[in-house]
């Protein structure tokens, strides 16, 4: 697996032994276009770190990568791409870290979430992002989930903008929208 384009184009990424990767990155970044430029990224269930490293390669300002099992791989890949200085790589439970960000009042312009399929974690991510207010105004939350899972249309102030299926994967784009009274 390699970084597709940008400053780290062609950099090879290390993949954990026995871990499959999902072939949606190129499609995802085609849909995002220029929305990755000069943004702060949060990458939940980051795995190899490919999504946030690709965003950094394409001009994102900073990225926080979190995964409980692949810390050494994320660290290695950040160094391989020469993007380490723009990263904050964390090991641990993504929900604990999101709680800390919420308490600190920290928000992100772009949040990637690629939880393991079949565990119902998509809804937990949506609730945590919505309740914690960690998505910046006009920011995007992008969740990759199994194609057969029907996406939630709205939760709190998060509204589904669009979705696309690619084989066994469904990419869902959510945007923070202010709730209107009345």
């Amino acid at each position: 697996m390699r970084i597709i384009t940008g400053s780290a184009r062609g950099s090879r990424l290390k993949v954990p032994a026995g871990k499959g990767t999902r072939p949606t990155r190129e499609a995802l970044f085609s849909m995002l276009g220029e929305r990755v430029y000069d943004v702060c990224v949060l990458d939940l269930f980051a795995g190899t770190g490919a999504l946030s490293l690709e965003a950094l390669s394409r001009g994102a300002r900073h990225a926080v990568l979190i995964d409980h099992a692949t810390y050494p791989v994320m660290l290695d890949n950040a160094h391989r791409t020469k993007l380490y200085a723009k990263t904050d790589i964390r090991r641990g439970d993504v929900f604990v870290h999101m709680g800390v960000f919420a308490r600190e009042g920290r928000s992100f312009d772009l949040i990637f979430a690629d939880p393991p399929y079949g565990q119902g974690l998509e809804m937990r991510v949506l609730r945590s992002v919505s309740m914690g207010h960690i998505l910046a105004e006009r920011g995007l939350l992008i969740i990759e989930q199994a194609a057969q899972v029907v996406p939630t249309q709205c939760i709190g102030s998060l509204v589904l903008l669009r979705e696309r299926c690619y084989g066994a994967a469904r990419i869902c784009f959510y945007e923070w929208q202010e709730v209107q009274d009345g």
Side-chain angles (χ1 to χ4, degrees):
M1 179 170 36
R2 296 178 186 260
I3 296 294
I4 300 166
T5 195
S7 65
R9 181 180 181 192
S11 297
R12 285 188 180 273
L13 299 179
K14 184 176 180 179
V15 178
K19 294 278 186 181
T21 58
R22 301 182 188 152
T24 54
R25 191 164 35 107
E26 192 163 357
L28 170 62
F29 281 95
S30 291
M31 287 186 275
L32 283 172
E34 296 295 317
R35 289 201 67 170
V36 299
Y37 185 75
D38 199 33
V39 299
C40 287
V41 176
L42 175 60
D43 194 350
L44 305 170
F45 306 97
T48 64
L51 292 176
S52 51
L53 294 171
E54 185 73 46
L56 288 169
S57 180
R58 292 171 184 243
R61 186 175 347 124
H62 182 76
V64 177
L65 297 74
I66 306 169
D67 200 296
H68 72 283
T70 59
Y71 179 84
V73 173
M74 294 185 298
L75 195 61
D76 187 26
N77 286 337
H79 283 290
R80 285 172 185 252
T81 58
K82 298 179 178 34
L83 296 168
Y84 177 77
K86 294 182 176 186
T87 64
D88 175 1
I89 300 172
R90 299 177 179 208
R91 180 189 328 239
D93 184 290
V94 299
F95 299 104
V96 170
H97 285 282
M98 284 196 289
V100 170
F101 297 144
R103 286 189 297 280
E104 293 173 347
R106 191 164 176 194
S107 64
F108 299 86
D109 306 297
L110 184 59
I111 301 175
F112 296 118
D114 190 5
Y117 290 176
Q119 297 181 23
L121 295 172
E122 303 87 4
M123 280 303 297
R124 191 168 172 203
V125 168
L126 285 167
R127 278 190 220 100
S128 294
V129 170
S130 179
M131 291 173 25
H133 304 282
I134 63 171
L135 184 62
E137 185 178 332
R138 294 189 300 210
L140 286 176
L141 165 62
I142 300 167
I143 298 181
E144 187 169 327
Q145 62 188 37
Q148 70 269 18
V149 175
V150 177
T152 299
Q153 296 296 311
C154 180
I155 184 166
S157 293
L158 293 176
V159 177
L160 180 67
L161 291 179
R162 65 179 163 169
E163 59 178 291
R164 297 286 187 273
C165 285
Y166 297 92
R170 180 186 307 268
I171 300 174
C172 299
F173 289 73
Y174 290 88
E175 185 176 58
W176 182 269
Q177 295 184 2
E178 285 296 321
V179 177
Q180 300 293 323
D181 291 331

